[in-house]
Amino acid sequence: MTKDQIFEFFRRLAEDNPSPETELEYGNAYQLVVAVALSAQATDVGVNKATRALFREVETPEQMLSLGEDGLKEHIKTIGLFNSKAKNVIALSQLLVDEYDSKVPDTREDLVRLPGVGRKTANVVLNCWFGQETFAVDTHIFRVGNRTGLAKGKTPEQVEAKLEKRVPQPFRLGAHHWLILHGRYVCKARTPECWRCAVVDLCSYRKKVLEKPGRGNTKTGPG
């Protein structure tokens, strides 16, 4: 994509959704860290179902430590990998209490010190809570970046670096939200819904699905 095409790409996504937000539910920075850590290899919908009752009971690292690992497991047992996630959440809560005065740090370097918090999770927290222009590359953004030609890369880190370089103002703060939502609801993994895509003409994907399947005459772009 050219610079002008990239600007238009985000302009259209922004026009459709001027104030994009994460779909995870949280009330403070600590709950956001926990929710994002729990969301690895899980859906936001599934995480929200598990955390609604949890977050009514737990708002601080101290309260999480009082709940304990077994108590936490009871809340999150419907989420994949809940045993290891519970262990990490208790450990990160302890570290926040011991070394950060129970406050969530505002740098990537400190955030990735927390057990269960990788670069992607740190970027989400920095963006959603601290308002920093970060690009948290999940499976949706990785797919959209490569498929559309916006930011091609063989690893999430390569895609993140391309986005960091290419995404213009005033779209940098909301960019990763627009890309996640676009990948989740339009540019889907199995069958991208190109027939209703706002940026279809800017996309370099060669096998566009230009008519909705199931009506007898699915039309695709050139192979």
Side-chain angles (χ1 to χ4, degrees), residues 10-57:
F10 283 106
R11 189 199 67 76
R12 293 183 196 175
L13 295 183
E15 187 175 54
D16 285 346
N17 183 6
S19 302
E21 297 178 344
T22 178
E23 293 186 320
L24 289 170
E25 298 172 1
Y26 61 94
N28 59 34
Y30 172 69
Q31 290 182 341
L32 175 60
V33 171
V34 172
V36 181
L38 295 176
S39 72
Q41 300 181 50
T43 66
D44 288 0
V45 171
V47 172
N48 290 338
K49 285 182 179 179
T51 58
R52 281 180 193 132
L54 173 66
F55 287 165
R56 284 195 293 270
E57 185 176 344

Side-chain angles (χ1 to χ4, degrees), residues 9 19 22 44 50 72-73 80 88 110 117 134 138 187-188 220:
F9 182 97
S19 302
T22 178
D44 288 0
L72 176 57
K73 286 179 181 179
N88 283 334
D110 284 325
V117 175
T134 58
D138 68 350
C187 196
K188 298 177 181 179
T220 62

Side-chain angles (χ1 to χ4, degrees), residues 99-156:
E99 298 190 25
Y100 293 98
D101 195 27
S102 301
K103 295 180 174 63
V104 175
D106 63 357
T107 69
R108 184 183 291 114
E109 291 72 24
D110 284 325
L111 284 167
V112 297
R113 290 189 63 218
L114 303 176
V117 175
R119 185 180 181 90
K120 183 185 73 173
T121 298
N123 281 343
V124 172
V125 175
L126 292 173
N127 182 275
C128 295
W129 189 260
F130 295 105
Q132 297 184 26
E133 295 171 355
T134 58
F135 303 90
V137 179
D138 68 350
T139 55
H140 297 299
I141 293 183
F142 186 78
R143 179 176 67 256
V144 172
N146 277 285
R147 182 184 275 169
T148 63
L150 172 67
K152 291 187 176 183
K154 293 182 178 180
T155 66

Side-chain angles (χ1 to χ4, degrees), residues 201-216:
D201 57 310
L202 303 172
C203 170
S204 64
Y205 187 52
R206 292 177 60 83
K207 298 182 180 180
K208 293 186 176 76
V209 184
L210 299 176
E211 291 188 14
K212 189 174 182 178
R215 295 190 176 182

Side-chain angles (χ1 to χ4, degrees), residues 9 15 30 36 62 65-67 71 78 88-89 93-94 97 100 102 129 133 137 160 172 179-180 188 195 209 219:
F9 182 97
E15 187 175 54
Y30 172 69
V36 181
E62 290 88 350
L65 294 174
S66 295
L67 178 65
T78 56
N88 283 334
V89 168
S93 300
Q94 189 68 61
V97 170
Y100 293 98
S102 301
W129 189 260
E133 295 171 355
V137 179
E160 181 184 345
R172 293 177 65 83
L179 293 174
I180 286 173
K188 298 177 181 179
W195 67 87
V209 184
K219 181 181 178 183

